[in-house]
Amino acid sequence: MKKVTVLMVVALMLSGGSVYSQNAVGSMFGTLTTAKAMGQGSGDFGFGIGLADDATSFIGSFAYGLSEYSDGRIKIGLSDSDWDGDTKIVFGVDYKWQFWSYGPETTHPFDFSVGAFLEYADYSAISVLQLGGQLLASYPIALNNGRSITPYGRFNARMESLSWDLPIQVSGDDSESNLEVGFNAGVKWEMTSSVDLYGEFQLDGNDGLFLGIDFNVM
């Protein structure tokens, strides 16, 4: 029953993908994390690639466990955007707090977290600032070798602020702000005790496939 509940949550998140704005810029980093907090003092270096409609991104990150149930992450990447053909540096930070924990000692059906994030990109034609909140759900499935595979999903709602540097203005203005939503669904595979692999699909302004790898270093 718990597995069915998890699948229903993920399906509902994905089914809402049709309501997002076609004009949204979307995340350049994807999610590439589960709802499970890392634990206080833990640290991960992560690397990834985003193969999306509007941009190809190369991603680097460092995540740190701020407490038993919360962690933060700093992200930096290179994004090759279709808007102007240039490759630019993009920045991001995010935070999550886990308030549901799945396990034999609880009755919660899955891990569940709430958090916030910020992303910034400055292309030749347009700069984008995104600030929003996110909900993450995930469910660890134990494997026979002692490792796990974890399906996860994320819903985010954010304010996208756009500023044009070239005369491609909307309604005579050189900037605008819009409320947007986005959806991600993927799988984490615990390959070793210190290496995790990620694969996910993103339904947002920047639809596409994101792949990542994390190395536990602390």
Side-chain angles (χ1 to χ4, degrees):
M1 181 62 184
K2 292 180 179 179
K3 293 183 178 180
V4 173
T5 303
V6 175
L7 293 174
M8 289 178 63
V9 170
V10 173
L12 286 171
M13 293 173 69
L14 290 175
S15 67
S18 61
V19 303
Y20 73 85
S21 170
Q22 294 292 331
N23 296 320
V25 173
S27 174
M28 301 300 166
F29 296 100
T31 303
L32 300 181
T33 187
T34 70
K36 182 72 173 177
M38 301 170 56
Q40 187 169 11
S42 295
D44 285 359
F45 278 115
F47 302 93
I49 183 172
L51 306 172
D53 287 347
D54 296 325
T56 299
S57 303
F58 299 93
I59 303 157
S61 66
F62 177 72
Y64 184 76
L66 303 172
S67 71
E68 183 180 359
Y69 296 108
S70 66
D71 53 60
R73 186 169 51 163
I74 300 172
K75 300 175 286 188
I76 187 169
L78 292 174
S79 179
D80 183 7
S81 168
D82 288 347
W83 293 302
D84 51 25
D86 288 343
T87 300
K88 299 292 185 179
I89 297 177
V90 292
F91 301 93
V93 294
D94 61 37
Y95 168 84
K96 74 170 184 267
W97 172 61
Q98 182 183 355
F99 61 92
W100 278 10
S101 295
Y102 171 76
E105 70 284 358
T106 75
T107 59
H108 299 140
F110 46 80
D111 294 322
F112 202 21
S113 295
V114 62
F117 69 96
L118 179 147
E119 293 186 15
Y120 179 75
D122 187 4
Y123 299 105
S124 298
I126 188 174
S127 60
V128 184
L129 175 65
Q130 304 186 55
L131 179 63
Q134 57 185 358
L135 296 173
L136 298 100
S138 59
Y139 181 82
I141 301 171
L143 302 177
N144 292 333
N145 61 3
R147 307 301 178 195
S148 66
I149 186 168
T150 305
Y152 65 87
R154 179 182 81 150
F155 166 80
N156 81 80
R158 65 193 184 277
M159 186 63 67
E160 277 192 2
S161 297
L162 313 177
S163 297
W164 286 272
D165 299 322
L166 294 175
I168 55 173
Q169 303 167 353
V170 175
S171 301
D173 297 326
D174 60 3
S175 64
E176 68 173 15
S177 296
N178 299 300
L179 180 63
E180 306 288 359
V181 298
F183 305 86
N184 300 70
V187 174
K188 167 192 165 183
W189 174 39
E190 185 186 11
M191 188 170 69
T192 72
S193 60
S194 58
V195 179
D196 298 320
L197 299 179
Y198 293 84
E200 73 181 56
F201 291 100
Q202 176 167 282
L203 296 175
D204 208 329
N206 194 32
D207 298 348
L209 174 67
F210 287 78
L211 304 172
I213 184 170
D214 273 358
F215 299 93
N216 181 248
V217 294
M218 298 175 65

